[in-house]
Amino acid sequence: MKKTTLVIISLSLAVATSCSDKFLDVQPKAALAVTTLQNKAGVNALLIGAYSLLDGWATPEGAYRSYQVGADNWVYGSVASDDAYKGTIAGDQPPISLIEQGNIQSDNIYFRGKWRGMYDGIARSNDALQAVAVAKDMTDAEKQQVIAEARFLRGHYHFELKKMYNMVPYIDEKTYNPNDLESTKLPNNTDIWPNIVADIKAAYDALPTKQTQVGRPTKWAAAAELAKAYLFQKKYAEAKTLLEAIVASGQYKLVDKYHDNFKAVTNNNAESIFEIQYSVNDGASGGENGNIGSTLNYPYGGGGVTTCCGFFQPSQNLVNAFKTDATGLPMLDTFNASDVTNDQGIESTAPFTPYAGTVDPRLDWTVGRRGIPFLDWGVHPGKAYVRDQSYGGPYSPKKHVMYKSDVGTNTFAGNPRLNANNYRIIRYSHVLLWLAEIEVEIGDLEKARAYVNQIRKRAANPDGFVKNTDGTPSANYLIKEYSATWTDKDLARKAVQFEQRLEFAMEGHRRFDLVRWGIADQVLNAYYPVEAKKRSYLNGVSFVKGKHEYFPIPIQEIFNSKKGGTATLTQNPGY
């Protein structure tokens, strides 16, 4: 399903009073009457409008910037973790620097952007639900599908808010009144997990197992989203039932090559369970249906890839995590004792020998590093791709970047950074590793090992290695399955959590995973002092337990929530 840009200037229309002067009752220009949308065509347009916020792009853009709201959460999930730096230069996008450096304040425009974007998505979902309820030209079956999709979207947007801010208002179509600006000024004093679960469960019960249009959620997408919500609540048994049903459906599998999850030409493949759809050259102005949330995150000024903007650079800690021992297994406790060789401070024209030690092959589909082919753009030249190595380090992001072979077809003609490489928000690999996590907590450690080994077996496929032009592996790749029986629960848990980091690195999940596992303070407070030796701006940064698990409620939203002079929203603890 290509995403359609839907611009509705206003659905909040003035209601005519009892004035007898009919000529004064004039429909506002450039506005759509609610009744105009209370039919099949209008309902579907409203629903597409709700989908269109999945990528975080609002019209007009001035409402918030796409990279504050993008689906991949690169700022909040990756830069605010041990996976990535803001990158680029110190003075570009300072609000991200503040987040990276633990200077987390409620007036940061990024937090307000994310808040507004998600509640806009909720409002659009509620618009569709209100309209479908009174549409006269739709069958019951058609209505049920719209309701299921809209509730899935509403549940998803609330889920995003919940994991960002924790205590947030839940707003449904019964609460939301487009003619009453006060209707959504609700207190945030109630846990909304039950509401999120109810929305996604309703979608799971009603959605088909397959959709005729890609991009629309299926029953199994709802099952995975619901299982994820249960995992965040540590409701392992409930999540396990859903995840095992996805496996039993036989509808999904791991694709043979890991990197086929990060290419436009392999969008919506057999591993994808729910995918944020991007499209280009589809008539939308400015290529805004491309993956605009990542528009800053491309190599800076080299090799023809792009000239902007050098953000979102992988951390040295992340690169080190991909080292393997002599048996091909991760170095769970010692990976950061020494660094993978990098070209920090070495000119691109000067000699450089890449790291000769063994690494997990997923490293070079995740991180651009000198001496290794950068997709099909040629060998990564190092410093020539980086805006300021002394600030952002030597590495480049990779998973969202377009291929050279995409240019002109899967890229927007005016800006190739706007491309059609979808964001796979839930993959079958998530399902397997979530099942491994559950087995560690309430089940069988050997089943957990088997699930992890499925992931590692795919990664070990030599056909999926990054290759030199002569067909040889580009680095010393060594990855093996866990062969020894798992008997230690703590060690098994560590192995599963580590595998999730490797598999989903730079995909915006890391900080949220650390928080839900209850180890964010331990991991990040070990990360900061070591990484500060390379990135001096991290000196003195710490994760405060009991505060930094969630971001602050945007201060402007607290001001805006006032009813009768009193704010209905309450700030999170510690802010």
Side-chain angles (χ1 to χ4, degrees):
M1 178 184 71
K2 283 190 176 181
K3 185 174 65 130
T4 302
T5 302
L6 181 67
V7 182
I8 299 176
I9 304 290
S10 174
L11 290 177
S12 301
L13 307 174
V15 178
T17 67
S18 58
C19 178
S20 60
D21 295 317
K22 299 294 185 182
F23 70 90
L24 294 176
D25 300 335
V26 178
Q27 176 67 33
K29 293 182 179 181
L32 291 175
V34 172
T35 53
T36 304
L37 299 168
Q38 293 174 350
N39 52 62
K40 184 175 180 178
V43 166
N44 284 322
L46 289 169
L47 183 61
I48 291 171
Y51 275 107
S52 75
L53 260 295
L54 285 172
D55 70 353
W57 177 254
T59 305
E61 185 187 8
Y64 36 78
R65 304 304 296 269
S66 53
Y67 33 87
Q68 297 170 6
V69 193
D72 62 1
N73 282 318
W74 66 273
V75 173
Y76 316 110
S78 293
V79 173
S81 78
D82 52 352
D83 269 8
Y85 314 134
K86 182 200 76 172
T88 193
I89 59 175
D92 205 341
Q93 291 296 316
I96 307 178
S97 297
L98 294 174
I99 294 171
E100 178 184 15
Q101 295 165 26
N103 188 0
I104 297 174
Q105 303 295 331
S106 62
D107 61 352
N108 190 306
I109 61 170
Y110 272 69
F111 299 139
R112 191 180 184 213
K114 184 68 174 181
W115 178 283
R116 294 178 70 189
M118 295 304 95
Y119 275 115
D120 278 357
I122 290 164
R124 293 187 185 192
S125 302
N126 286 330
D127 284 337
L129 288 165
Q130 288 178 340
V132 74
V134 294
K136 304 297 185 185
D137 60 343
M138 299 179 70
T139 66
D140 288 344
E142 289 171 334
K143 286 188 173 187
Q144 288 305 310
Q145 286 308 296
V146 169
I147 292 169
E149 291 181 33
R151 291 193 70 178
F152 176 91
L153 293 171
R154 186 173 68 188
H156 170 77
Y157 291 128
H158 278 109
F159 194 163
E160 287 290 292
L161 290 162
K162 176 68 177 174
K163 70 184 187 183
M164 283 280 296
Y165 309 103
N166 191 25
M167 299 302 287
V168 296
Y170 172 81
I171 300 172
D172 64 14
E173 78 279 14
K174 297 183 178 70
T175 302
Y176 172 57
N177 180 354
N179 296 312
D180 178 7
L181 297 179
E182 303 282 285
S183 66
T184 57
K185 293 183 176 181
L186 302 179
N188 59 332
N189 57 3
T190 303
D191 187 353
I192 69 166
W193 275 129
N195 308 95
I196 294 170
V197 166
D199 269 343
I200 305 172
K201 176 65 164 57
Y204 171 71
D205 289 338
L207 287 170
T209 57
K210 294 183 179 181
Q211 291 275 19
T212 57
Q213 289 181 307
V214 296
R216 295 185 187 271
T218 64
K219 180 182 187 70
W220 303 125
E225 184 91 350
L226 183 55
K228 184 178 178 181
Y230 283 137
L231 280 175
F232 269 71
Q233 300 171 78
K234 293 183 167 45
K235 294 184 176 181
Y236 299 115
E238 293 90 335
K240 181 178 180 179
T241 299
L242 292 161
L243 296 170
E244 288 182 337
I246 296 171
V247 173
S249 75
Q251 196 165 313
Y252 305 97
K253 66 175 185 177
L254 298 176
V255 294
D256 293 338
K257 300 174 183 178
Y258 175 69
H259 63 281
D260 278 347
N261 289 301
F262 318 108
K263 298 168 66 176
V265 295
T266 50
N267 284 343
N268 303 299
N269 62 33
E271 189 167 336
S272 178
I273 295 178
F274 188 58
E275 193 159 314
I276 308 301
Q277 304 293 309
Y278 301 129
S279 67
V280 293
N281 306 319
D282 55 4
S285 64
E288 62 189 33
N289 288 339
N291 61 347
I292 198 164
S294 295
T295 191
L296 300 179
N297 305 338
Y298 291 81
Y300 187 85
V305 184
T306 179
T307 58
C308 188
C309 296
F311 284 77
F312 196 32
Q313 293 180 245
S315 71
Q316 185 65 52
N317 181 284
L318 175 64
V319 173
N320 292 344
F322 284 92
K323 292 190 296 187
T324 57
D325 64 18
T327 67
L329 294 178
M331 302 167 70
L332 301 179
D333 296 312
T334 61
F335 73 91
N336 209 37
S338 62
D339 290 342
V340 170
T341 308
N342 64 64
D343 65 318
Q344 180 81 43
I346 301 175
E347 295 296 330
S348 294
T349 55
F352 171 73
T353 302
Y355 182 68
T358 57
V359 293
D360 186 312
R362 288 171 290 187
L363 167 62
D364 290 324
W365 292 117
T366 304
V367 176
R369 58 191 183 111
R370 184 169 175 182
I372 306 296
F374 192 78
L375 306 179
D376 59 352
W377 290 97
V379 173
H380 192 291
K383 194 172 183 180
Y385 268 16
V386 177
R387 194 172 183 182
D388 182 357
Q389 273 196 350
S390 64
Y391 180 77
Y395 303 113
S396 303
K398 206 167 186 177
K399 285 181 173 178
H400 63 280
V401 175
M402 71 289 182
Y403 282 66
K404 187 175 184 179
S405 56
D406 287 328
V407 175
T409 54
N410 287 310
T411 62
F412 176 58
N415 180 356
R417 288 180 287 128
L418 302 176
N419 60 70
N421 184 8
N422 289 348
Y423 174 56
R424 288 77 166 174
I425 192 167
I426 301 179
R427 308 200 301 269
Y428 188 60
S429 45
H430 282 107
V431 169
L432 296 178
L433 288 175
W434 289 340
L435 279 168
E437 183 178 332
I438 291 166
E439 291 296 346
V440 168
E441 300 303 332
I442 64 168
D444 184 335
L445 296 184
E446 280 297 275
K447 286 184 178 179
R449 181 170 70 94
Y451 284 126
V452 170
N453 279 343
Q454 287 187 55
I455 301 296
R456 297 185 64 78
K457 181 178 181 180
R458 188 265 296 278
N461 175 12
D463 290 340
F465 291 177
V466 174
K467 304 285 182 63
N468 299 315
T469 54
D470 64 1
T472 58
S474 295
N476 189 5
Y477 300 128
L478 180 65
I479 179 172
K480 298 291 185 181
E481 298 173 38
Y482 286 94
S483 59
T485 301
W486 281 6
T487 57
D488 185 316
K489 186 172 182 176
D490 290 338
L491 185 60
R493 182 185 295 112
K494 184 179 292 185
V496 170
Q497 292 174 352
F498 205 92
E499 198 69 30
Q500 292 198 44
R501 185 187 192 190
L502 299 177
E503 181 74 6
F504 307 119
M506 301 291 287
E507 295 182 46
H509 303 295
R510 177 65 171 168
R511 185 184 179 101
F512 302 113
D513 281 341
L514 292 175
V515 168
R516 72 181 181 84
W517 291 332
I519 59 173
D521 59 321
Q522 302 166 44
V523 171
L524 294 180
N525 286 333
Y527 163 76
Y528 290 129
V530 176
E531 212 73 6
K533 296 175 183 177
K534 307 168 184 71
R535 309 274 79 80
S536 60
Y537 58 77
L538 292 176
N539 275 314
V541 177
S542 66
F543 182 100
V544 179
K545 188 175 178 62
K547 174 182 178 180
H548 286 149
E549 286 82 1
Y550 300 102
F551 297 114
I553 307 296
I555 190 64
Q556 188 61 49
E557 297 305 321
I558 294 177
F559 292 152
N560 291 344
S561 76
K562 288 183 179 180
K563 292 178 70 173
T566 302
T568 59
L569 294 177
T570 302
Q571 187 55 272
N572 280 333
Y575 293 104

